[in-house]
Amino acid sequence: MSRIFFYVVALLGLLGWGSCTNPNGYRVEQKFKLLVDDERCSVTFFYPVLKWDDGTINRELDFILENYVEYERYTRNCDAHSGAKNVIKGDFKVILATKNVLSIEFTEDVLSYGEREKHQIYHSIVLNPELLKTGQIAAFGRPEDLFPQFDRGRLYPFVQAYNEQHQRQINLRAYETGSNYVIMWGISATDLILYVGGEGEFHGDDRIFIPLDALGVRGPS
């Protein structure tokens, strides 16, 4: 009996330990999709899927995350090329995962598309996983949605400095106080990340990492 009791206690201990390893109550799984792979085109990508420990399912969110980056647009132009094979590879990275904030960065690697040289395109989404469990599509579309009283104008000098350093023409009006421009952004435990170069177009060509301390805000919990 004592040996059986020992095994039961050990098993309960393992189950208890396992439950403590996921304090957020969810995990992000990676799935792969191949849209086309022939002599003309190759379009493949990884995308995220949220899995809640309690079995919650949000199929609308699943659809959004799978199709957030419009890879289908590349397949429609597979015939319109000459020379090198068109190769597009997509991936994603979880930048921050807490109970109430999930920040995901998507990347498109355009390895060869017509005469275009290799480059990377960024997309991002910031979600509230706790509210997503109720069936809502709970996204923080702007930094102002996550941080009450946030002044977008605080981003302006960082983008201005980026323009000067890299001789770029990023649209600074998107980063003025009160601006309603759509911007791509994400958040880590220490930085607010701007994906610049496609303001209003739901993508970015480069990243600017801005310490949260410099913006006067605290990282989400």
Side-chain angles (χ1 to χ4, degrees):
M1 289 291 289
S2 60
R3 181 173 295 180
I4 294 175
F5 177 77
F6 172 79
Y7 285 135
V8 170
V9 171
L11 177 59
L12 290 174
L14 287 172
L15 291 174
W17 177 83
S19 65
C20 292
T21 60
N22 189 15
N24 297 329
Y26 69 89
R27 64 189 183 278
V28 181
E29 295 186 351
Q30 183 188 69
K31 288 201 172 182
F32 175 77
K33 190 167 186 177
L34 184 154
L35 293 181
V36 60
D37 188 14
D38 57 27
E39 68 279 359
R40 303 166 303 159
C41 276
S42 175
V43 182
T44 60
F45 64 95
F46 292 97
Y47 64 94
V49 176
L50 262 67
K51 297 288 186 180
W52 282 272
D53 294 350
D54 64 3
T56 295
I57 295 174
N58 188 327
R59 298 199 183 283
E60 187 177 359
L61 175 66
D62 292 343
F63 178 83
I64 288 173
L65 291 177
E66 181 178 347
N67 298 280
Y68 191 68
V69 182
E70 297 180 55
Y71 293 106
E72 291 280 355
R73 72 188 188 279
Y74 291 110
T75 67
R76 292 193 291 269
N77 295 318
C78 279
D79 291 328
H81 85 284
S82 59
K85 178 178 178 178
N86 298 330
V87 178
I88 311 296
K89 293 183 178 181
D91 207 346
F92 73 92
K93 180 191 300 183
V94 175
I95 303 298
L96 179 69
T98 71
K99 187 174 182 180
N100 297 301
V101 178
L102 173 62
S103 182
I104 302 175
E105 174 185 285
F106 298 83
T107 53
E108 292 177 66
D109 283 318
V110 182
L111 305 179
S112 175
Y113 196 73
E115 301 301 320
R116 185 179 296 176
E117 296 181 2
K118 176 182 177 180
H119 73 287
Q120 194 166 67
I121 302 170
Y122 297 95
H123 307 266
S124 66
I125 191 169
V126 184
L127 301 164
N128 184 327
E130 191 66 15
L131 288 181
L132 288 168
K133 288 177 64 177
T134 67
Q136 303 177 59
I137 299 303
F140 300 103
R142 309 172 303 158
E144 294 92 330
D145 297 333
L146 180 59
F147 300 111
Q149 310 303 318
F150 181 79
D151 180 3
R152 188 181 292 201
R154 292 191 174 195
L155 304 174
Y156 188 100
F158 294 95
V159 182
Q160 184 179 44
Y162 174 89
N163 271 346
E164 293 171 357
Q165 262 188 331
H166 296 84
Q167 298 183 334
R168 294 287 302 276
Q169 296 295 322
I170 303 301
N171 184 0
L172 290 172
R173 285 182 294 180
Y175 302 98
E176 294 176 344
T177 297
S179 172
N180 289 319
Y181 269 85
V182 172
I183 61 174
M184 284 283 98
W185 67 285
I187 188 167
S188 72
T190 57
D191 299 294
L192 188 140
I193 306 165
L194 294 180
Y195 301 94
V196 296
E199 288 69 19
E201 300 294 335
F202 295 96
H203 75 270
D205 300 318
D206 203 353
R207 298 176 295 182
I208 302 176
F209 293 83
I210 306 174
L212 295 176
D213 290 345
L215 300 173
V217 297
R218 184 179 297 178
S221 57

